Amino acid sequence: MHSCKMLNLGCAFGIKHQQHQREPNYFNLQLSILSFQQAEHTPALDLRYLVTEAAHYVMALNFQEEFDLLYIDLNPNAEDKKGIAGLKFNRDAKKTMLPKIYDHLALIDISSVCAASIYKHGKEIIGMEKSNFPADAAMMVTEGCGEDYERFSKHLLPVSRYFLLRPLHTQWNTILKAFDFFLMDGVWDAVIFIAELISENKNMGIISHAHMLESLSESTCYPAFCTAREGFLLARYPLTKKSLEMNN
């Protein structure tokens, strides 16, 4: 059995080398949910992008009954966009798009913001600072995640309409629940494991779902990850108006 490999990422595991000073980032919830940072030039296979794509995949594993997970495309994004082409999956077009399906898609989309934040600041810090969201979202890393957020907000609109909720409240509820998932025992370890697996196979062009799942299932973090998945799904579904309110 392969052990769950750990990347040499001090910040990813909350190891602080210097005192962190948080600068407040207050914003009006009526106007904007997030203020996206200007992205810096980053190589196509920068490790942070591998971590965020791994997070997309790990979140998508919760919804295998609804989606046919295919592979992660490791080729650079088209049109000089940063990062890689990323996770590819299908869904039978004949199936009805229920609110929970849009919710699944939104959770996959926003996983990049969660992963980028935990990767930069560490689980311990994000676990503490999450209680300040949304009033103070200074610790949320949005650099390079703008397109994911656009898809996230679009996917949640049908959910908000169905339950007659304000879109901004539904969005923050979903963001916080996504962070909760990645902070559960075994989940961030699974993200790091998949990120390293991607890195090891980066010259292959793609890495298949079958390969990733088989490798992950042999890791030491897999039992805790499976337990976390079960708990997350039981807590999130079925969707109700009350469960989607911002303070729940």
Side-chain angles (χ1 to χ4, degrees), residues 4 61 186 213 216-227 229:
C4 188
L61 286 175
L213 184 58
L216 181 60
S217 68
E218 295 174 350
S219 72
T220 57
C221 59
Y222 191 67
F225 170 61
C226 290
T227 299
R229 286 177 53 206

Side-chain angles (χ1 to χ4, degrees), residues 106-144:
L107 284 164
I108 295 171
D109 295 331
I110 205 62
S111 294
S112 59
V113 172
C114 299
S117 303
I118 296 172
Y119 174 70
K120 180 175 181 179
H121 301 295
K123 280 182 62 179
E124 181 181 351
I125 291 176
I126 292 298
M128 293 186 296
E129 294 293 334
K130 186 174 70 68
S131 62
N132 295 319
F133 301 164
D136 182 356
M139 304 300 288
M140 287 182 63
V141 176
T142 57
E143 178 186 326

Side-chain angles (χ1 to χ4, degrees), residues 71-240:
Y71 56 87
I72 291 179
D73 188 338
L74 303 176
N75 293 298
N77 264 323
E79 301 176 0
D80 296 325
K81 294 180 181 178
K82 298 176 177 62
I84 58 178
L87 178 64
K88 306 297 179 184
F89 59 92
N90 291 328
R91 186 172 188 271
D92 188 344
K94 296 179 181 179
K95 292 184 177 180
T96 304
M97 286 295 289
L98 300 170
K100 72 172 184 177
I101 306 303
Y102 287 107
D103 183 73
H104 296 346
L105 292 169
L107 284 164
I108 295 171
D109 295 331
I110 205 62
S111 294
S112 59
V113 172
C114 299
S117 303
I118 296 172
Y119 174 70
K120 180 175 181 179
H121 301 295
K123 280 182 62 179
E124 181 181 351
I125 291 176
I126 292 298
M128 293 186 296
E129 294 293 334
K130 186 174 70 68
S131 62
N132 295 319
F133 301 164
D136 182 356
M139 304 300 288
M140 287 182 63
V141 176
T142 57
E143 178 186 326
C145 304
E147 290 187 1
D148 283 337
Y149 172 70
E150 289 179 7
R151 287 190 291 268
F152 164 78
S153 59
K154 289 178 182 178
H155 282 141
L156 275 185
L157 279 176
V159 181
S160 300
R161 294 192 191 107
Y162 183 86
F163 289 102
L164 302 178
L165 291 166
R166 293 179 61 188
L168 203 58
H169 290 185
T170 309
Q171 289 175 22
W172 270 114
N173 171 282
T174 305
I175 288 172
L176 293 174
K177 292 300 186 292
F179 268 109
D180 286 343
F181 174 65
F182 287 106
L183 293 172
M184 296 173 77
D185 289 344
V187 178
W188 187 245
D189 290 340
V191 171
I192 295 300
F193 182 90
I194 294 297
E196 181 154 305
L197 189 64
I198 294 172
S199 180
E200 292 172 353
N201 291 272
K202 62 185 178 183
N203 295 324
M204 299 299 292
I206 66 170
I207 181 168
S208 71
H209 163 56
H211 182 186
M212 290 186 287
L213 184 58
E214 180 180 4
S215 298
L216 181 60
S217 68
E218 295 174 350
S219 72
T220 57
C221 59
Y222 191 67
F225 170 61
C226 290
T227 299
R229 286 177 53 206
E230 291 175 5
F232 173 72
L233 293 173
L234 284 173
R236 184 65 175 173
Y237 304 103
L239 295 176
T240 65

Side-chain angles (χ1 to χ4, degrees), residues 20-34:
H20 174 76
Q21 296 293 329
R22 177 168 57 85
E23 297 180 359
N25 179 28
Y26 298 103
F27 55 91
N28 190 334
L29 284 176
Q30 302 293 330
L31 299 178
S32 175
I33 185 170
L34 293 174

